Amino acid sequence: MNAAFRIPGAGRLSQAKTASFSFDDKSYTGIDGDTLASALLANGVHLVGRSFKYHRPRGFLSAGAEEPNALVQIVRDDARKTPNVRATVQELYDGLTARSQNRWPSLAFDVGAVNDLASPMFSAGFYYKTFMWPKSAWKNLYEPQIRSAAGLGVSPDRPDPDHYAARYAHCDVLVLGGGAAGIAAALAAAETGVRVILADEQAEFGGSLRFESGARIDGENGFAWAQAAIARLKAMDNVRVLSRTTAFGYYAQNFVGLVERVSDHLKNPGKELARERLWQVRAKRVVLATGAIERHMVFANNDRPGVMLASAARTYLNHYGVAVGRNVGVYTANDSAYAAAIDLKKAGVNIAAIVDLRDNPSGAVIDEARGLGIEINFGRAVVSAGGKLRVSSMTVQPKNGGGGRTIPVDAILMSAGWTPSVHLFSQSRGKVAFNEETRRFVPGTHAQDCVSVGACNGTDGLDATVDEAYAAGAKAAKEAGGKDSSVKAGKGAKPKVDAGESWSRGMLGAAPGAGPGTTVKAFVDFQNDVTAKDIRQAVHEGMHSIEHVKRFTTNGMATDQGKTSNMHGLAIAAEVLDKPIPQVGLTTFRAPYTPVTFGSIVGHARGALFDPTRRTATHGWASAHGAVFEDVGQWKRAWYFPKAGEDMHAAVNRECVTVRKTAGLFDASTLGKIEVVGPDAAKFMELLYTNPWEKLEPGRCRYGIMLREDGFIYDDGVVGRLAQDRFHVTTTTGGAPRVMHHMEDYLQTEFPHLNVWLTSITEQWAVIAVQGPKSREIIAPLVEGIDMSDEAMPHMSVREGKICGVPTRLFRMSFTGERGFEVNVPADYGEAVWEALWAEGQKHGATAYGTETMHVLRAEKGYIIVGQDTDGTVTPNDAALDWAVGKKKTDFVGIRGMMRADLVAKGRKQLVGLKTTDPKVVLEEGAQIVEDPKQAIPMKMIGHVTSSYWSQNCGRSIALALVAGGRDRMGQTLYVPMPNGTIEVEVTGMVFVDEKGERLNG
Amino acid sequence: MLLIRCPYCEEERPELEFRNAGEAHIARPTNIAGESDDDFEKFFFIRSNPKGVIYERWRHIHGCARFFNAVRDTVTDKFVMTYKAGEPKPAKLPGASK
């Protein structure tokens, strides 16, 4: 079945393969190769959307990526509902389902269109003026209303089921844009043998050769030449050709982001294919061949469906074989619209009239149009388009005023001229320059190793374009290291342009009838509903910088980023300001060139691949024994081990009591571990930790504190001296990488004279803490070569030997206050040794315990956790750790910072214990502490709770807190005001269990 | 993404492999414990924040792990040159007129 507006014999698509699709639940038929736009137009459908602010009916403005109006929702299934898809870019596939957006209840009757009638309320900057007061209305009225009315399209509400690929690529010459210029540049570069990537956003290469019927290159029709050249490039090993690939961002050092649409055009993409592929390309040279974008004419009701760019109508005809109307008017300020009129006329479409603003233009296309019998009106303007859901007429007047007439039409083609696409050039930080003669911004000073060729460089004419591009491609290749290609007749030779089209000039700003003093809706920016009047109003209200005009009116701020509107907006502002255009300036072009999906940016980094997961050697055992895990950075740590019927509270209480009664096993493998080795190892330790190390005997351990140069606690951990020249340093779990970085920094840059090597051994050693009165009995039967008696191996010592036949570094140390050991074994043996220890432990009634119990037990002893009980502003003295600072030392990192006046002042927050008056009440960590609960709000806060737990061993709650002058407040009553009432607490020491420390040998 | 030349690896690598480590050529005083408040302030707190050429430390943390120095233009974000830690501040920058 042939659609009504498909012209037999026109276009390049084969009618053989049809594709059925639906738009707003109505079924249509298109053909293979159509875009959604061309297929709808073939069926006579122009009305496809409603505008953002005024809900005005909208159709297709363009046939490409610059489209501001024809945004639709493409629905594949419940999860795949992509909003804001440009119908001019979306390729048709059989079964495609599209819906219009921003309308209710229907596209033809949209209640929101009342905004159009009420438009005086919605003039430029209305957001800033209308919703100012009363203040309370923001929360209850304005914000909810604006949020529900704002936005285009509806976001999908399910996780994206598609996957997205990512590639890095390097090349010598990257050519962006696959029209005549890009192809010529790629051919020249490819011949030299360098690595070339050629990318174009469209499905087929050719750029404007798609519609330029007059172009002939190497004896062929221009589009056919382009396809043959692409086939040749694809066959070359050194060339990668990417279609459907948009260069969206140009970053530093010729780093360009491309996004390739892999499967959005397929009916059944299948699961293997990614939806999109992100290319991050580093190129030695970049050739920008991004073409130019046609501008619309700014006149009243220029947004009516059926009013479109002349080049778009020509593309629909010459490529897709679709007539955009049967009786078409043309409104132009340059030559290029004539070519569209001529092509349509030849295809049998009536051209009602050409209206040309220019007074007496002349040229071949004008003669040809006249020769075809088309009515041409010079020096006249279209002052208004008639019709609502579709354009029905155009009103034509002499441009200086005077009587008009109304001509019935069903489409208006317009062309105000062409804007070079300098977006990527500008993103590369190149500076654009305004050409007064042609009144356009073209690339000026380059900031990177790139070159602009063809229309985006302001080069007019196919011949000149191909010349320039071919030379630039060859030069770029040579600069990138290609061999000289002063070739060549035959295949690699420069393409010969037999015939081409050329046009430039045109107009910027509002056309007659939409000038100063008028109130008509002559749209500058279709997507954000910005009119010529809005721009003038912004200037009148004091916005004199183009950046302010842009933000006040939102001109150019929609998803199309002002591709068609920026130059018009600028010209109107310049006219009101009475300044030359370059003095008003151009707004900054920013990435992305066209919208990029979050999916393509995220790529594989989602779900389980979002962040690495680190598991310890005993993870499998812990899972099998019912552990509940918690995330600690990237680590999964066993949190607690509930038995049947136990909740967390019950499990932790049992674990805490069992450790102090008999023993417990705990996986401490996540602690950071660094081996400090070398003749100067002790000297290095002296400089990096507050403690003295030189005299620590091999085989002994010490609790070390690391400061930053500012004197605040940075990390802590037990350090074992294995030999004169070897320390086994442990760090906090979260601190491991930064401590290593900190140590390396000092070793490499401040103390390079020290002969020391640092090695991260966190992952090499599994650590099994065995704590409790029975700990030695559990370990001893498995150990060889270590005397574990108290005399031979006192608290805070380390021995090397074997356990279960494998090497161990056996530490006697305690983070529970009980007799304790930490069994280090090579990580591969971690699970086996754990199982052996567990089997021994079972004989004594030991428990496995997790991080929660570890936290409670250490808090019962007042052992701090750096990062929980300290916050980067806590000195050793604040944390009651003065004893760990070497008094006789003359240097260590932080020694000077610690002496600063504020750090030794009275009244600093100090770490103390808190006991609630009601022992059953457990404080909230982070809760603020005050002296007088009756004072007025805001109260003076003197500290906060850092750690707080229920302690089954103490039969009450316990807490640690940082309190101003805390150690002078022992026994004082303080208060913790909470939403449900104030909690009374008593300041105590930090040790709640075994104050004398006798259990370490118990 | 910037390319940064590691003076130890002697090749340009993507910035993801590197970490900035603050201003360069600020030596830790040898007798730091005896520094006056003013001197310690200058050493520890005061940093230049130039519009233009800055000398800064970088670490090739996901590569050879070495710290080195770099000269970077804060306006263009371009690396003028890189050199090894401990080498003196370059008297003449490549491309400079004098």
Side-chain angles (χ1 to χ4, degrees), chain A residues 276-346:
Chain A
E276 292 177 341
R277 180 178 293 117
L278 176 72
W279 289 86
Q280 289 165 275
V281 182
R282 182 81 68 175
K284 285 187 186 152
R285 292 288 182 283
V286 174
V287 178
L288 296 167
T290 48
I293 292 171
E294 196 170 25
R295 291 187 303 277
H296 58 280
M297 298 293 288
V298 179
F299 63 99
N301 301 327
N302 60 346
D303 63 328
R304 292 303 185 206
V307 183
M308 64 170 65
L309 299 174
S311 60
R314 215 175 162 204
T315 304
Y316 290 123
L317 179 70
N318 293 340
H319 192 77
Y320 300 103
V322 172
V324 299
R326 300 195 197 285
N327 182 35
V328 175
V330 176
Y331 183 24
T332 187
N334 79 0
D335 282 356
S336 66
Y338 283 83
I342 291 165
D343 286 350
L344 280 161
K345 178 78 178 175
K346 285 180 177 169

Coordinates of all heavy atoms in Angstrom, one line a residue, chain A residues 276-346:
Chain A
E276 N 23.7 0.8 23.0 CA 24.6 1.8 22.6 C 26.0 1.5 22.9 O 26.2 0.6 23.9 CB 24.2 3.2 23.2 CG 22.8 3.7 22.7 CD 22.4 5.0 23.3 OE1 23.0 5.3 24.4 OE2 21.6 5.7 22.8
R277 N 26.9 2.1 22.3 CA 28.3 1.8 22.6 C 29.0 3.2 22.7 O 28.9 4.0 21.8 CB 29.0 1.0 21.5 CG 30.5 0.7 21.8 CD 31.1 -0.2 20.7 NE 30.5 -1.5 20.7 CZ 29.8 -2.0 19.6 NH1 29.6 -1.3 18.5 NH2 29.3 -3.2 19.7
L278 N 29.6 3.4 23.8 CA 30.4 4.6 24.1 C 31.8 4.4 23.6 O 32.5 3.4 23.9 CB 30.4 4.9 25.6 CG 31.3 6.1 26.0 CD1 30.6 7.4 25.5 CD2 31.5 6.2 27.5
W279 N 32.3 5.3 22.7 CA 33.7 5.3 22.2 C 34.4 6.4 22.8 O 33.9 7.6 22.7 CB 33.7 5.4 20.7 CG 33.2 4.3 19.9 CD1 31.9 4.0 19.6 CD2 33.9 3.2 19.3 NE1 31.8 2.8 18.8 CE2 33.1 2.3 18.7 CE3 35.3 2.9 19.3 CZ2 33.5 1.2 18.0 CZ3 35.7 1.7 18.7 CH2 34.8 0.9 18.0
Q280 N 35.5 6.1 23.5 CA 36.4 7.2 24.0 C 37.6 7.2 23.1 O 38.4 6.2 23.3 CB 36.6 7.0 25.5 CG 35.4 7.3 26.3 CD 35.5 6.8 27.7 OE1 35.2 5.6 28.0 NE2 35.9 7.6 28.6
V281 N 37.7 8.1 22.3 CA 38.8 8.1 21.2 C 39.8 9.1 21.5 O 39.5 10.3 21.8 CB 38.2 8.4 19.8 CG1 39.2 8.3 18.8 CG2 37.0 7.4 19.6
R282 N 41.1 8.7 21.4 CA 42.2 9.7 21.5 C 42.8 9.7 20.1 O 43.2 8.7 19.6 CB 43.2 9.1 22.5 CG 44.4 10.1 22.7 CD 44.1 11.2 23.7 NE 43.9 10.8 25.0 CZ 43.7 11.6 26.1 NH1 43.7 12.9 25.9 NH2 43.5 11.1 27.3
A283 N 42.8 10.9 19.5 CA 43.3 11.1 18.2 C 44.5 12.0 18.1 O 44.5 13.0 18.9 CB 42.2 11.6 17.3
K284 N 45.4 11.7 17.2 CA 46.6 12.6 17.1 C 46.1 13.9 16.4 O 46.5 15.0 16.8 CB 47.7 12.0 16.3 CG 48.5 10.9 17.1 CD 49.7 10.4 16.3 CE 50.4 9.3 17.0 NZ 51.1 8.4 16.1
R285 N 45.2 13.7 15.4 CA 44.6 14.9 14.7 C 43.1 14.6 14.6 O 42.7 13.5 14.3 CB 45.2 15.1 13.3 CG 46.7 15.5 13.3 CD 46.8 16.9 13.7 NE 48.2 17.4 13.7 CZ 49.1 17.1 14.6 NH1 48.9 16.4 15.6 NH2 50.4 17.6 14.5
V286 N 42.4 15.7 14.7 CA 40.9 15.6 14.5 C 40.5 16.5 13.3 O 41.0 17.7 13.2 CB 40.2 16.1 15.7 CG1 38.7 16.1 15.5 CG2 40.5 15.1 16.9
V287 N 39.8 16.0 12.4 CA 39.2 16.8 11.3 C 37.7 17.0 11.6 O 37.0 16.0 11.7 CB 39.4 16.1 9.9 CG1 38.8 16.9 8.8 CG2 40.9 15.9 9.6
L288 N 37.3 18.2 11.7 CA 35.9 18.5 12.0 C 35.2 18.8 10.7 O 35.6 19.8 10.0 CB 35.8 19.7 12.9 CG 36.4 19.5 14.3 CD1 36.5 20.8 15.1 CD2 35.5 18.5 15.1
A289 N 34.3 18.0 10.3 CA 33.5 18.2 9.1 C 32.1 18.1 9.4 O 31.3 17.2 8.9 CB 34.0 17.1 8.0
T290 N 31.6 18.9 10.3 CA 30.3 18.8 10.9 C 29.2 19.5 10.2 O 28.1 19.5 10.7 CB 30.4 19.2 12.4 OG1 31.1 20.5 12.5 CG2 31.2 18.3 13.2
G291 N 29.6 20.2 9.1 CA 28.5 20.8 8.3 C 27.9 22.0 8.8 O 28.5 22.7 9.7
A292 N 26.7 22.3 8.4 CA 26.0 23.5 8.8 C 24.5 23.2 9.0 O 24.0 22.2 8.5 CB 26.1 24.6 7.7
I293 N 23.8 24.0 9.8 CA 22.4 23.7 10.0 C 21.6 24.9 9.5 O 22.0 26.1 9.8 CB 22.2 23.5 11.6 CG1 22.8 22.2 12.0 CG2 20.7 23.6 11.9 CD1 22.9 22.0 13.5
E294 N 20.6 24.6 8.8 CA 19.7 25.7 8.2 C 18.9 26.4 9.3 O 18.5 25.7 10.3 CB 18.8 25.1 7.2 CG 18.2 26.1 6.3 CD 17.4 25.5 5.1 OE1 17.0 24.4 5.2 OE2 17.3 26.2 4.1
R295 N 18.8 27.7 9.2 CA 18.0 28.4 10.2 C 16.6 28.7 9.6 O 16.4 28.8 8.4 CB 18.6 29.8 10.5 CG 19.9 29.8 11.2 CD 20.3 31.2 11.6 NE 20.4 32.1 10.4 CZ 21.5 32.1 9.6 NH1 22.5 31.4 9.9 NH2 21.6 32.9 8.6
H296 N 15.6 28.8 10.5 CA 14.2 29.1 10.2 C 14.1 30.6 10.0 O 14.9 31.4 10.5 CB 13.3 28.5 11.2 CG 13.5 29.0 12.6 ND1 14.5 28.5 13.4 CD2 12.9 30.0 13.3 CE1 14.5 29.1 14.5 NE2 13.5 30.0 14.5
M297 N 12.9 31.0 9.5 CA 12.6 32.4 9.5 C 11.7 32.7 10.7 O 10.9 31.9 11.1 CB 11.8 32.8 8.2 CG 12.5 32.5 6.9 SD 13.9 33.7 6.6 CE 13.0 35.2 6.3
V298 N 12.0 33.9 11.3 CA 11.3 34.2 12.5 C 10.1 35.1 12.2 O 10.3 36.3 11.9 CB 12.3 34.9 13.5 CG1 11.5 35.3 14.8 CG2 13.4 34.0 13.8
F299 N 8.9 34.5 12.1 CA 7.7 35.3 11.8 C 6.5 34.7 12.6 O 6.7 33.6 13.2 CB 7.4 35.3 10.3 CG 7.1 33.9 9.7 CD1 5.8 33.4 9.5 CD2 8.2 33.0 9.4 CE1 5.6 32.2 9.0 CE2 7.9 31.8 8.9 CZ 6.6 31.3 8.6
A300 N 5.4 35.4 12.6 CA 4.3 35.0 13.5 C 3.8 33.6 13.1 O 3.6 33.3 11.9 CB 3.2 36.0 13.3
N301 N 3.6 32.8 14.1 CA 3.1 31.4 14.0 C 4.0 30.6 13.1 O 3.5 29.7 12.4 CB 1.7 31.5 13.4 CG 0.7 32.2 14.4 OD1 0.9 32.2 15.6 ND2 -0.2 32.9 13.8
N302 N 5.3 30.8 13.1 CA 6.2 30.0 12.3 C 6.4 28.6 12.9 O 7.2 27.9 12.4 CB 7.6 30.7 12.2 CG 8.2 30.9 13.6 OD1 7.5 30.8 14.6 ND2 9.5 31.3 13.6
D303 N 5.6 28.3 14.0 CA 5.7 27.0 14.6 C 4.6 26.1 14.2 O 4.5 25.0 14.7 CB 5.7 27.1 16.1 CG 4.5 27.7 16.6 OD1 3.9 28.6 15.9 OD2 4.1 27.4 17.8
R304 N 3.7 26.5 13.3 CA 2.5 25.7 13.0 C 3.0 24.4 12.2 O 3.9 24.5 11.4 CB 1.5 26.4 12.1 CG 0.8 27.6 12.8 CD 0.1 27.2 14.0 NE -0.7 28.3 14.6 CZ -1.0 28.3 15.9 NH1 -0.6 27.3 16.7 NH2 -1.7 29.2 16.4
P305 N 2.4 23.3 12.6 CA 2.8 22.0 11.9 C 2.7 22.2 10.4 O 1.7 22.8 9.9 CB 1.8 21.0 12.4 CG 1.4 21.5 13.8 CD 1.4 23.0 13.6
G306 N 3.7 21.8 9.6 CA 3.7 22.0 8.2 C 4.7 23.1 7.8 O 5.1 23.2 6.7
V307 N 5.1 23.9 8.8 CA 6.1 25.0 8.5 C 7.5 24.3 8.9 O 7.7 23.9 10.0 CB 5.9 26.2 9.4 CG1 6.9 27.3 9.0 CG2 4.5 26.7 9.2
M308 N 8.4 24.2 7.9 CA 9.6 23.5 8.2 C 10.8 24.1 7.3 O 10.6 24.9 6.5 CB 9.5 22.0 7.9 CG 9.2 21.7 6.4 SD 9.3 19.9 6.2 CE 8.0 19.3 7.2
L309 N 12.0 23.6 7.7 CA 13.1 24.1 7.0 C 13.1 23.5 5.5 O 12.7 22.4 5.3 CB 14.4 23.5 7.7 CG 14.6 24.0 9.1 CD1 15.8 23.3 9.7 CD2 14.8 25.5 9.1
A310 N 13.6 24.4 4.6 CA 13.6 24.0 3.2 C 14.4 22.7 3.0 O 14.0 21.8 2.2 CB 14.1 25.1 2.3
S311 N 15.6 22.7 3.6 CA 16.4 21.5 3.4 C 15.8 20.2 3.9 O 16.0 19.1 3.4 CB 17.8 21.7 4.1 OG 17.6 21.9 5.5
A312 N 14.9 20.4 5.0 CA 14.2 19.2 5.5 C 13.2 18.7 4.4 O 13.2 17.5 4.1 CB 13.5 19.5 6.8
A313 N 12.4 19.6 3.8 CA 11.5 19.2 2.8 C 12.2 18.5 1.7 O 11.7 17.5 1.1 CB 10.7 20.4 2.3
R314 N 13.4 19.0 1.4 CA 14.1 18.5 0.2 C 14.7 17.1 0.6 O 14.7 16.2 -0.3 CB 15.3 19.4 0.0 CG 15.6 19.5 -1.5 CD 16.7 20.6 -1.7 NE 17.3 20.4 -3.0 CZ 18.5 20.8 -3.3 NH1 19.3 21.4 -2.3 NH2 19.0 20.6 -4.5
T315 N 15.1 16.9 1.8 CA 15.6 15.6 2.3 C 14.4 14.6 2.2 O 14.6 13.4 1.7 CB 16.1 15.7 3.7 OG1 17.1 16.6 3.8 CG2 16.6 14.3 4.2
Y316 N 13.3 15.0 2.7 CA 12.1 14.1 2.7 C 11.8 13.7 1.3 O 11.5 12.5 1.0 CB 10.9 14.7 3.4 CG 11.1 14.8 4.9 CD1 11.0 16.0 5.6 CD2 11.4 13.6 5.6 CE1 11.3 16.1 6.9 CE2 11.7 13.7 7.0 CZ 11.6 14.9 7.7 OH 11.8 15.0 9.0
L317 N 11.9 14.6 0.3 CA 11.6 14.3 -1.1 C 12.7 13.4 -1.7 O 12.5 12.4 -2.2 CB 11.4 15.6 -1.9 CG 11.1 15.3 -3.3 CD1 9.7 14.7 -3.5 CD2 11.2 16.6 -4.1
N318 N 13.9 14.0 -1.7 CA 15.0 13.4 -2.5 C 15.5 12.1 -1.9 O 16.1 11.2 -2.6 CB 16.2 14.4 -2.7 CG 15.8 15.5 -3.5 OD1 14.8 15.4 -4.3 ND2 16.5 16.6 -3.4
H319 N 15.4 11.9 -0.5 CA 15.9 10.7 0.1 C 14.8 9.7 0.3 O 14.9 8.5 0.1 CB 16.7 11.0 1.3 CG 17.5 9.8 1.8 ND1 18.7 9.4 1.3 CD2 17.2 8.9 2.8 CE1 19.1 8.3 1.9 NE2 18.2 8.0 2.8
Y320 N 13.7 10.2 0.9 CA 12.7 9.3 1.4 C 11.5 9.2 0.4 O 10.6 8.4 0.6 CB 12.1 9.8 2.7 CG 13.2 9.8 3.8 CD1 13.8 11.0 4.2 CD2 13.6 8.6 4.4 CE1 14.8 11.0 5.2 CE2 14.6 8.6 5.4 CZ 15.2 9.8 5.8 OH 16.1 9.8 6.8
G321 N 11.5 10.1 -0.6 CA 10.4 10.0 -1.6 C 9.1 10.5 -1.1 O 8.1 10.1 -1.5
V322 N 9.2 11.5 -0.1 CA 8.0 12.0 0.5 C 7.8 13.4 0.3 O 8.7 14.2 0.4 CB 8.0 11.7 2.1 CG1 6.9 12.4 2.8 CG2 8.1 10.2 2.4
A323 N 6.5 13.8 -0.2 CA 6.2 15.2 -0.3 C 5.6 15.7 1.0 O 4.8 15.1 1.6 CB 5.2 15.4 -1.5
V324 N 6.1 16.9 1.5 CA 5.6 17.4 2.8 C 4.3 18.1 2.6 O 3.7 18.5 3.6 CB 6.6 18.3 3.4 CG1 7.9 17.5 3.7 CG2 6.9 19.5 2.6
G325 N 3.8 18.2 1.4 CA 2.5 18.8 1.2 C 2.1 18.7 -0.3 O 2.9 18.2 -1.1
R326 N 1.0 19.3 -0.7 CA 0.6 19.3 -2.1 C 0.6 20.7 -2.7 O 0.6 20.9 -3.9 CB -0.8 18.7 -2.2 CG -1.0 17.3 -1.7 CD -2.3 16.6 -2.2 NE -2.6 15.4 -1.5 CZ -2.0 14.3 -1.6 NH1 -1.0 14.1 -2.4 NH2 -2.4 13.3 -0.8
N327 N 0.5 21.6 -1.7 CA 0.5 23.0 -2.2 C 1.4 23.8 -1.2 O 0.9 24.3 -0.2 CB -1.0 23.5 -2.1 CG -1.1 24.9 -2.6 OD1 -0.4 25.4 -3.6 ND2 -2.0 25.7 -2.0
V328 N 2.6 24.0 -1.7 CA 3.6 24.4 -0.7 C 4.1 25.9 -1.0 O 4.4 26.3 -2.1 CB 4.9 23.5 -0.8 CG1 6.0 23.9 0.0 CG2 4.4 22.1 -0.5
G329 N 4.2 26.6 0.1 CA 4.7 28.0 0.0 C 6.2 28.0 0.5 O 6.6 27.1 1.2
V330 N 6.9 28.9 0.0 CA 8.4 29.0 0.3 C 8.7 30.4 0.8 O 8.2 31.4 0.2 CB 9.2 28.7 -0.9 CG1 10.7 28.8 -0.5 CG2 9.0 27.3 -1.4
Y331 N 9.4 30.5 1.9 CA 9.8 31.8 2.5 C 11.2 31.8 2.8 O 11.7 30.9 3.5 CB 9.0 32.1 3.8 CG 9.2 33.4 4.4 CD1 9.7 34.5 3.7 CD2 9.0 33.6 5.8 CE1 9.9 35.8 4.2 CE2 9.2 34.9 6.4 CZ 9.6 35.9 5.6 OH 9.8 37.2 6.2
T332 N 12.0 32.7 2.1 CA 13.4 32.6 2.2 C 14.1 33.9 2.2 O 13.6 34.9 1.8 CB 14.0 31.7 1.0 OG1 15.3 31.5 1.1 CG2 13.8 32.5 -0.3
A333 N 15.4 33.9 2.6 CA 16.3 35.0 2.6 C 17.6 34.6 1.9 O 18.6 35.3 2.0 CB 16.5 35.6 4.0
N334 N 17.6 33.5 1.3 CA 18.8 33.1 0.5 C 18.4 32.1 -0.6 O 17.2 31.9 -0.8 CB 19.8 32.4 1.5 CG 19.5 31.0 1.8 OD1 18.5 30.4 1.4 ND2 20.3 30.4 2.6
D335 N 19.4 31.6 -1.3 CA 19.1 30.8 -2.5 C 18.6 29.4 -2.2 O 18.0 28.8 -3.1 CB 20.3 30.7 -3.4 CG 20.6 32.0 -4.2 OD1 19.7 32.9 -4.1 OD2 21.6 32.1 -4.9
S336 N 19.0 28.9 -1.1 CA 18.9 27.4 -1.0 C 17.5 26.9 -1.0 O 17.2 25.8 -1.5 CB 19.6 26.9 0.2 OG 19.0 27.4 1.4
A337 N 16.5 27.7 -0.6 CA 15.1 27.3 -0.6 C 14.6 27.1 -2.0 O 13.7 26.4 -2.3 CB 14.3 28.3 0.2
Y338 N 15.2 27.9 -2.9 CA 14.8 27.7 -4.3 C 15.0 26.3 -4.8 O 14.2 25.7 -5.6 CB 15.6 28.7 -5.2 CG 15.1 30.1 -5.2 CD1 15.5 31.0 -4.1 CD2 14.2 30.6 -6.1 CE1 15.1 32.3 -4.0 CE2 13.8 31.9 -6.0 CZ 14.2 32.8 -5.0 OH 13.8 34.0 -4.9
A339 N 16.2 25.7 -4.4 CA 16.5 24.4 -4.9 C 15.4 23.4 -4.4 O 15.0 22.5 -5.1 CB 17.8 23.9 -4.4
A340 N 14.9 23.6 -3.1 CA 13.8 22.8 -2.6 C 12.6 23.0 -3.4 O 11.9 22.0 -3.8 CB 13.6 23.1 -1.1
A341 N 12.2 24.2 -3.8 CA 11.0 24.5 -4.5 C 11.1 23.8 -5.9 O 10.2 23.2 -6.4 CB 10.8 26.0 -4.7
I342 N 12.3 23.9 -6.5 CA 12.5 23.3 -7.8 C 12.3 21.8 -7.8 O 11.6 21.2 -8.6 CB 13.9 23.7 -8.4 CG1 13.9 25.2 -8.7 CG2 14.3 22.9 -9.6 CD1 15.3 25.8 -8.9
D343 N 13.0 21.1 -6.8 CA 12.9 19.7 -6.7 C 11.4 19.2 -6.5 O 11.0 18.3 -7.1 CB 13.7 19.2 -5.5 CG 15.2 19.2 -5.9 OD1 15.6 19.5 -7.1 OD2 16.1 19.0 -5.0
L344 N 10.7 20.0 -5.6 CA 9.3 19.6 -5.3 C 8.5 19.8 -6.6 O 7.6 19.0 -6.9 CB 8.8 20.4 -4.2 CG 9.2 19.9 -2.8 CD1 9.0 21.0 -1.7 CD2 8.4 18.7 -2.4
K345 N 8.7 20.9 -7.2 CA 7.9 21.2 -8.4 C 8.1 20.1 -9.5 O 7.1 19.7 -10.1 CB 8.4 22.6 -9.0 CG 7.7 23.0 -10.2 CD 6.3 23.6 -10.0 CE 5.6 24.1 -11.3 NZ 4.2 24.5 -11.0
K346 N 9.4 19.7 -9.6 CA 9.6 18.7 -10.6 C 9.0 17.4 -10.2 O 8.7 16.5 -11.1 CB 11.2 18.5 -10.8 CG 11.8 19.6 -11.6 CD 13.3 19.3 -11.6 CE 14.0 20.4 -12.5 NZ 15.5 20.3 -12.3

